[in-house]
């Protein structure tokens, strides 16, 4: 009887043991946010993200876990052919060799409407287009699948007789809690000439449009105003890259850069400082850009003087320590800045000669990407079809 108890106890002890390889494999499938929080479990887990074997496993999981999510997504090439004309192609194939031109909507009966696309991807199949070729900037929601358009009404700000305005920093996303699509923009207001003297100053306003209510509301937020207009949107949050005014103190130079994000459900801003840069790098030769990479917010930093780019992903909004440098890609000369990401870990770059290339993080190979013209101007956008008309969303 005592022998049976001893064997049972021994079996229980053996069954509770997890081999290190299996433990690392299981943990590598967790999100970065969860891993950062697990650092308080035990001393060995604090050093997980410093373990080369674990980081290698985590990279592989990061690049493969979301591939099924992107199966029915398309890659769109948005190219500025001339200063006031753009074209867009749907591209496919192993090397993006197949393409089909998409016709732009023309809600204003213009010969060549000029549109800017908000964000780096469609939101549930919908795009927010900013029309800059009219005297007044107009916003249009577009579903390419149904070829349906929704012209967003003008904001009350546009009808105030004593001010001029300029709208910057657009963002478009989906409010999951309120089941609503929203457009947000920063509106800079100026006194009309001859009505006020030069000492009059209007605080910037944030204009938020609700598709469900088909109306705009104005808000004041005490946050820095930044003119970096390229934003990304994911999971109901919109992100912009920001920089403060230059500081004379070199030690504070890293603190000048940050991302600020806007949660569409609670309608609140959060500022997240960027991770510290290695002091050996010359920040005058770094080009930074926010992207959505395999379902995560990624900061891509291209160090042009040493031909290296870094990819850091964000684990938790508002937490500087949750950034993790996941990829360091050396020896890529002549690339200037990224313009988008693909479905399987590709990052698209414009080269110094204006050519378009993409780098595959999985294969570590760079390929050239064909386009019309001598120098590429534009960006890469991901798109998922949606057969639901815009007007039926809230029915």
């Amino acid at each position: 009887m005592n022998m049976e108890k001893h064997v049972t106890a021994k079996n229980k002890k053996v069954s509770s043991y997890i081999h290190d390889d299996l433990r690392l494999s299981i943990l590598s499938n967790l999100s970065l946010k969860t891993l950062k929080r697990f650092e308080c479990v035990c001393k060995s887990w604090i050093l997980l993200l410093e373990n080369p074997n674990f980081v290698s496993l985590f990279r592989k999981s990061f690049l493969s876990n979301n591939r099924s999510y992107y199966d029915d997504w398309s890659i769109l090439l948005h190219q500025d052919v001339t200063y006031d004309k753009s074209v867009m192609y749907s591209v496919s194939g192993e090397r993006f060799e197949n393409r089909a031109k998409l016709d732009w909507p023309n809600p204003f009966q213009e010969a060549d409407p000029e549109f800017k696309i908000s964000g780096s991807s469609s939101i549930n199949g919908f795009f927010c287009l900013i029309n800059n070729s009219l005297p007044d900037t107009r916003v249009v929601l577009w579903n390419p699948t149904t070829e349906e358009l929704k012209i967003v009404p003008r904001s009350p700000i546009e009808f105030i007789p004593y001010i001029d305005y300029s709208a910057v920093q657009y963002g478009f996303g989906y409010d999951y809690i309120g089941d609503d699509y929203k457009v947000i923009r920063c509106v800079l207001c100026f006194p009309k000439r001859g009505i006020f003297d030069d000492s009059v100053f209007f605080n910037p306003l944030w204009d938020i449009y609700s598709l469900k209510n088909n109306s705009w509301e104005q808000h004041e937020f005490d946050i820095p105003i930044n003119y970096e207009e390229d934003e990304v949107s994911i999971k109901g949050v919109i992100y912009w890259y920001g920089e403060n005014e230059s500081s004379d103190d070199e030690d504070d130079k890293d603190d000048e850069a940050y991302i600020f994000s806007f949660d569409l459900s609670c309608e609140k801003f959060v500022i997240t400082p960027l991770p510290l840069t290695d002091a050996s790098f010359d920040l005058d030769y770094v080009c930074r850009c926010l992207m959505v990479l395999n379902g995560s917010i990624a900061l891509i930093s291209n160090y042009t003087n040493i031909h290296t780019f870094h990819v850091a992903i964000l684990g938790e909004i508002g937490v500087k320590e949750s950034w993790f440098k996941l990829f360091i890609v050396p020896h890529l000369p002549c690339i200037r800045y990224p313009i988008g990401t693909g479905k399987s870990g590709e990052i698209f770059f414009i080269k110094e000669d204006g050519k378009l290339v993409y780098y595959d993080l999985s294969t570590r190979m760079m390929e050239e990407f064909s386009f019309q013209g001598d120098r590429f101007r534009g960006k890469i956008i991901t798109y998922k079809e949606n057969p639901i008309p815009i007007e039926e969303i809230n029915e």
Side-chain angles (χ1 to χ4, degrees):
M1 191 71 174
N2 291 336
M3 179 63 68
E4 290 179 0
K5 289 182 178 180
H6 176 72
V7 171
T8 302
K10 185 176 181 180
N11 288 338
K12 286 183 178 179
K13 183 177 181 181
V14 171
S15 63
S16 65
Y17 174 76
I18 300 177
H19 194 275
D20 284 349
D21 290 345
L22 178 58
R23 177 171 58 87
L24 292 181
S25 178
I26 293 172
L27 291 174
S28 69
N29 286 281
L30 298 177
S31 68
L32 179 60
K33 178 179 179 179
T34 303
L35 283 175
K36 286 289 187 177
R37 291 186 173 183
F38 276 9
E39 288 180 344
C40 62
V41 173
C42 61
K43 290 182 179 180
S44 62
W45 286 18
I46 296 176
L47 303 177
L48 267 179
L49 292 174
E50 297 179 18
N51 181 332
N53 294 330
F54 176 77
V55 172
S56 179
L57 290 171
F58 186 70
R59 286 195 190 107
K60 291 179 181 178
S61 297
F62 177 84
L63 291 174
S64 61
N65 283 346
N66 288 318
R67 286 196 176 184
S68 60
Y69 173 78
Y70 287 105
D71 281 347
D72 52 353
W73 285 68
S74 302
I75 298 294
L76 302 183
L77 179 71
H78 178 213
Q79 181 181 357
D80 296 325
V81 180
T82 62
Y83 177 76
D84 58 355
K85 185 177 181 180
S86 300
V87 294
M88 188 152 66
Y89 298 93
S90 174
V91 295
S92 59
E94 290 187 2
R95 296 188 176 183
F96 309 104
E97 67 275 10
N98 305 320
R99 62 190 61 196
K101 186 178 179 181
L102 299 181
D103 292 327
W104 284 105
N106 198 353
F108 305 113
Q109 285 73 51
E110 296 176 83
D112 291 307
E114 179 193 352
F115 286 112
K116 171 185 178 292
I117 299 177
S118 177
S120 61
S121 69
S122 66
I123 303 299
N124 299 336
F126 305 124
F127 284 113
C128 175
L129 308 179
I130 315 301
N131 182 280
N132 293 315
S133 54
L134 294 174
D136 296 315
T137 302
R138 297 302 304 273
V139 180
V140 179
L141 303 184
W142 176 39
N143 184 344
T145 306
T146 62
E147 299 182 353
E148 183 193 12
L149 296 168
K150 164 70 176 178
I151 300 177
V152 173
R154 286 186 167 92
S155 166
I157 293 178
E158 300 177 52
F159 296 98
I160 300 177
Y162 53 84
I163 68 167
D164 289 322
Y165 75 97
S166 175
V168 296
Q169 289 183 273
Y170 280 86
F172 174 57
Y174 179 63
D175 173 1
Y176 287 87
I177 295 179
D179 187 23
D180 194 7
Y181 292 85
K182 294 179 178 179
V183 179
I184 180 173
R185 62 183 183 178
C186 179
V187 180
L188 307 177
C189 300
F190 313 95
K192 285 202 174 197
R193 185 173 298 177
I195 297 181
F196 298 101
D197 59 41
D198 294 338
S199 64
V200 175
F201 175 78
F202 296 108
N203 291 328
L205 295 174
W206 288 88
D207 230 1
I208 302 176
Y209 169 76
S210 161
L211 178 60
K212 181 178 288 188
N213 299 327
N214 194 33
S215 62
W216 295 85
E217 286 189 359
Q218 292 70 51
H219 302 262
E220 289 192 30
F221 297 104
D222 186 18
I223 62 166
I225 300 300
N226 181 275
Y227 295 96
E228 294 287 337
E229 296 192 20
D230 288 333
E231 79 287 351
V232 295
S233 178
I234 184 173
K235 301 175 184 177
V237 181
I238 302 170
Y239 300 81
W240 295 266
Y241 173 80
E243 288 184 353
N244 292 325
E245 294 183 1
S246 298
S247 171
D248 294 332
D249 187 352
E250 291 296 325
D251 294 334
D252 293 337
K253 200 163 188 178
D254 274 308
D255 295 331
E256 297 170 17
Y258 57 90
I259 64 171
F260 62 105
S261 55
F262 184 77
D263 189 311
L264 292 167
S265 296
C266 64
E267 297 191 344
K268 290 184 178 179
F269 278 99
V270 175
I271 291 180
T272 306
L274 294 190
L276 290 175
T277 303
D278 190 324
S280 63
F281 293 130
D282 189 341
L283 295 182
D284 291 334
Y285 292 92
V286 60
C287 174
R288 286 167 167 162
C289 188
L290 277 184
M291 299 282 177
V292 175
L293 182 63
N294 277 36
S296 295
I297 292 296
L299 175 70
I300 301 176
S301 303
N302 182 25
Y303 297 89
T304 57
N305 58 330
I306 58 173
H307 310 306
T308 299
F309 74 85
H310 298 176
V311 179
I313 58 173
L314 178 63
E316 187 171 357
I317 296 173
V319 182
K320 180 179 182 179
E321 293 74 21
S322 71
W323 287 100
F324 176 60
K325 192 178 295 181
L326 189 58
F327 298 96
I328 299 177
V329 183
H331 313 305
L332 285 183
C334 305
I335 61 171
R336 291 186 59 197
Y337 54 87
I339 59 164
T341 57
K343 302 185 295 179
S344 304
E346 305 96 349
I347 302 178
F348 295 82
F349 289 91
I350 292 180
K351 295 175 63 179
E352 291 178 355
D353 60 3
K355 300 298 182 183
L356 181 58
V357 296
Y358 66 91
Y359 181 86
D360 191 320
L361 290 168
S362 298
T363 63
R364 301 182 182 180
M365 298 292 291
M366 187 166 68
E367 299 283 348
E368 195 162 297
F369 190 95
S370 62
F371 63 94
Q372 292 183 350
D374 296 327
R375 301 183 68 86
F376 183 83
R377 295 183 299 273
K379 62 181 179 179
I380 296 291
I381 302 167
T382 52
Y383 167 66
K384 183 177 183 179
E385 292 187 355
N386 186 347
I388 301 176
I390 297 175
E391 293 296 343
E392 294 182 9
I393 291 174
N394 296 321
E395 292 183 1

